[in-house]
Amino acid sequence: MGGSVMLHSSQELDLVFGPDSSGSDPLTRALSSTKRFVRSQTQVAEWRPEAKGLELTPAQALHAFDYDVLLRVARDGSAQLIPSRTEPARTIEERRKELGLTAKQIARMIDLPEASVVKAETVGKVSPIRDLMRIAEALALDEQVLSYLPNARGDSELGVRLRTLSSERHAGPGFSPSIVLKLTEAAWVISRQSELARLLGVAPEVTNESYSDDYHGPVWQRGYELAAQTRTMLSIDDEAPIENVRKIVARFGLPLIETAFGTRFAGATIANADVRGIVANTEGSNSNVWVRRMTICHELGHLLWDPPSRLGKLKVDTYMELQTPGGDPVEARANAFAIAFLAPPRAVARILDDLSDKATMVAVVMDRFGIGPGAAKHHLANVSREHLHREIDFMTVSGRLLPEPSDEWNAREDWTNAFYPIASVPDTRRGAFAALAVLAMERGLVSADTVSEWLRIAPEEVAAQRDNIVSLGEVALSRP
């Protein structure tokens, strides 16, 4: 967190954080302080009951604005944040244009009047800080430092990549502005969630920095090998089913965002600054949790093993691209990784040996390993050909004979969408993000007011639902 490394007198620290605080450095003092601050578009001040701005904890204010700003607040009662009268209007307008979006499109996405977005972009106009927060989050800007830092830590390279997404042809017309905005907001969630985890000391259980640039044929074999390596890294038995891919992703410390993106988009990997995460659609084919598991593991294969230069800031996969065999070796390897990670070929070969009816084989593979019918049929055919040297046509098996995910499968993999206790919390912010936000609030790292804004619920509801939010989030964080 923020805070100067220089020595400060006890009297000065008392002045900034209050005499009830303890410690010899700003951060320790901030974490023990009972003081509160409040910020608006243009300034930060000590909190008072009539204040209408956003309440900040001392640690939160220190992290966002640094010690010297808080010292000015202590001495003068308030401190100006804006380095130029053009802020934050210039940052917001430039970011919107960088993304190729209109004020109306942004307003519709965040449920604000278009006039509020236009006002935020108008130099000299003062907007409510809560409106500015929503706009900044939608644009993948750091809302905590908006006004204070020009550009608000926006990732320009990601912005340009998102803009080009709306004009690219992914087996059809470019993606709509609403999809671009959802991806942009997902980038904000990924960045903020990673920052909260860092502040709380929540470290990945498993890490991998040994990328593989080997896409030589047969590329499926490379994917199988990487899947086996990943199982070894996670200490998962060679043939055991993966009961919950959300927990697997969490063990690598990767944010996973699941939300509705329509019927073409399957999944994506996003890098916001130096933080990467996974986005998975909950609509279209992914409405079946078995299919979504494959999509998530496909994206996991990208993040774990593809060199970042291959992925860039944003790697988007459509359903058509994931379902088309061959083609791009990067995609083919990720497909092979996903299927072999979820359904190890040796285990599938045993099923081929033990059973004789094709429909039963497909059904058993689907239900045991949690994969969709298309993936199960192709995988059985490939394993039969490559491991048992038999050609079997599984594509003729009728879907009427095949199972749907059980309630148990749905409960394990779809709880943030179907079972989350607070419906008003945006689905992009359920699970790990919400839990980390509440835990950070309890540590004094962020205010209840801030968490309320992030989760779109009243502070009283945050308090009332605290146990549910944290317990469900700990599942997503792969914590006991």
Side-chain angles (χ1 to χ4, degrees):
M1 290 186 69
S4 174
V5 295
M6 65 180 292
L7 296 177
H8 303 278
S9 70
S10 177
Q11 292 82 359
E12 185 181 275
L13 291 169
D14 283 349
L15 179 67
V16 174
F17 298 108
D20 62 332
S21 62
S22 59
S24 58
D25 62 90
L27 178 55
T28 306
R29 283 293 191 113
L31 290 170
S32 63
S33 173
T34 59
K35 262 194 175 184
R36 289 178 285 175
F37 296 88
V38 61
R39 73 153 296 183
S40 66
Q41 172 180 317
T42 59
Q43 66 177 15
V44 60
E46 291 191 6
W47 182 87
R48 56 190 186 281
E50 66 274 17
K52 296 181 180 179
L54 182 75
E55 183 182 330
L56 307 176
T57 67
Q60 183 180 3
L62 179 65
H63 183 46
F65 311 128
D66 298 319
Y67 179 80
D68 290 343
V69 173
L70 301 190
L71 181 59
R72 290 202 302 272
V73 171
R75 288 173 173 168
D76 304 331
S78 66
Q80 290 296 311
L81 294 177
I82 53 174
S84 163
R85 67 180 298 272
T86 62
E87 290 297 335
R90 182 191 62 81
T91 290
I92 293 172
E93 181 181 21
E94 288 186 358
R95 182 64 164 182
R96 175 181 62 76
K97 291 179 177 178
E98 186 175 66
L99 292 165
L101 299 168
T102 67
K104 184 176 182 179
Q105 290 163 347
I106 294 170
R108 186 184 301 118
M109 175 71 177
I110 60 178
D111 197 26
L112 282 179
E114 182 181 356
S116 296
V117 179
V118 173
K119 181 180 180 181
E121 293 184 356
T122 303
V123 173
K125 295 287 187 179
V126 177
S127 298
I129 187 60
R130 297 169 203 280
D131 288 357
L132 295 175
M133 284 181 68
R134 293 200 177 198
I135 294 168
E137 291 164 11
L139 298 175
L141 298 172
D142 186 342
E143 82 293 350
Q144 298 288 295
V145 299
L146 188 68
S147 297
Y148 182 60
L149 294 181
N151 191 45
R153 298 189 178 125
D155 187 324
S156 296
E157 188 180 344
L158 175 61
V160 171
R161 180 69 185 93
L162 284 161
R163 183 184 71 231
T164 60
L165 185 67
S166 62
S167 60
E168 286 183 350
R169 294 189 172 274
H170 289 259
F175 285 108
S176 67
S178 64
I179 297 296
V180 173
L181 271 166
K182 284 193 172 187
L183 287 169
T184 309
E185 194 242 354
W188 176 84
V189 174
I190 287 167
S191 179
R192 178 62 64 218
Q193 180 176 322
S194 298
E195 176 69 358
L196 289 171
R198 185 187 69 79
L199 292 174
L200 288 165
V202 179
E205 180 185 335
V206 184
T207 59
N208 176 54
E209 296 180 0
S210 302
Y211 302 114
S212 170
D213 211 16
D214 184 358
Y215 301 93
H216 297 97
V219 72
W220 62 263
Q221 190 170 343
R222 304 288 84 76
Y224 281 18
E225 291 166 356
L226 295 175
Q229 287 184 47
T230 305
R231 279 178 163 259
T232 299
M233 290 164 55
L234 294 164
S235 299
I236 299 174
D237 183 80
D238 290 347
E239 300 184 25
I242 303 292
E243 293 189 350
N244 190 319
V245 299
R246 299 176 62 89
K247 287 188 175 182
I248 296 297
V249 174
R251 290 180 67 184
F252 285 104
L254 295 168
L256 171 61
I257 312 299
E258 296 183 86
T259 189
F261 281 97
T263 58
R264 288 181 52 231
F265 174 96
T269 64
I270 298 180
N272 190 2
D274 59 348
V275 177
R276 291 187 179 271
I278 294 172
V279 178
N281 190 6
T282 57
E283 293 185 321
S285 299
N286 279 359
S287 60
N288 181 313
V289 296
W290 284 344
V291 177
R292 197 186 316 157
R293 281 162 54 87
M294 274 290 295
T295 298
I296 293 170
C297 287
H298 178 100
E299 306 304 339
L300 179 64
H302 279 318
L303 282 188
L304 290 182
W305 297 108
D306 291 333
S309 59
R310 291 269 188 179
L311 299 178
K313 285 290 182 178
L314 176 68
K315 181 75 178 69
V316 171
D317 293 306
T318 65
Y319 287 122
M320 182 173 292
E321 289 166 338
L322 293 187
Q323 295 165 3
T324 303
D328 181 358
V330 176
E331 295 304 321
R333 193 179 79 171
N335 270 340
F337 168 88
I339 190 64
F341 182 67
L342 288 174
R346 189 168 65 179
V348 173
R350 292 186 191 280
I351 292 171
L352 281 162
D353 280 337
D354 293 343
L355 301 173
S356 58
D357 179 70
K358 291 193 295 185
T360 304
M361 291 179 188
V362 177
V364 168
V365 169
M366 290 173 63
D367 189 58
R368 182 174 300 176
F369 298 107
I371 61 177
K377 292 176 185 179
H378 283 294
H379 195 34
L380 277 162
N382 291 337
V383 171
S384 177
R385 181 185 312 110
E386 301 297 336
H387 292 259
L388 305 178
H389 309 294
R390 302 201 310 251
E391 290 286 345
I392 304 177
D393 182 8
F394 288 94
M395 301 312 293
T396 59
V397 174
S398 171
R400 295 192 302 272
L401 302 174
L402 301 178
E404 293 290 329
S406 65
D407 289 344
E408 184 179 5
W409 272 113
N410 282 318
R412 281 201 298 261
E413 297 287 17
D414 203 38
W415 58 267
T416 54
N417 300 296
F419 306 103
Y420 202 71
I422 316 171
S424 58
V425 174
D427 52 10
T428 54
R429 306 181 187 198
R430 298 175 182 180
F433 177 89
L436 288 168
V438 169
L439 292 171
M441 177 188 74
E442 293 178 343
R443 287 269 300 273
L445 298 169
V446 296
S447 67
D449 198 9
T450 301
V451 174
S452 173
E453 286 296 317
W454 285 343
L455 302 186
R456 308 287 192 258
I457 58 178
E460 296 78 15
E461 192 166 9
V462 173
Q465 293 284 357
R466 184 268 177 202
D467 290 347
N468 283 331
I469 293 171
V470 172
S471 63
L472 288 171
E474 287 177 337
V475 172
L477 289 166
S478 191
R479 289 171 53 178

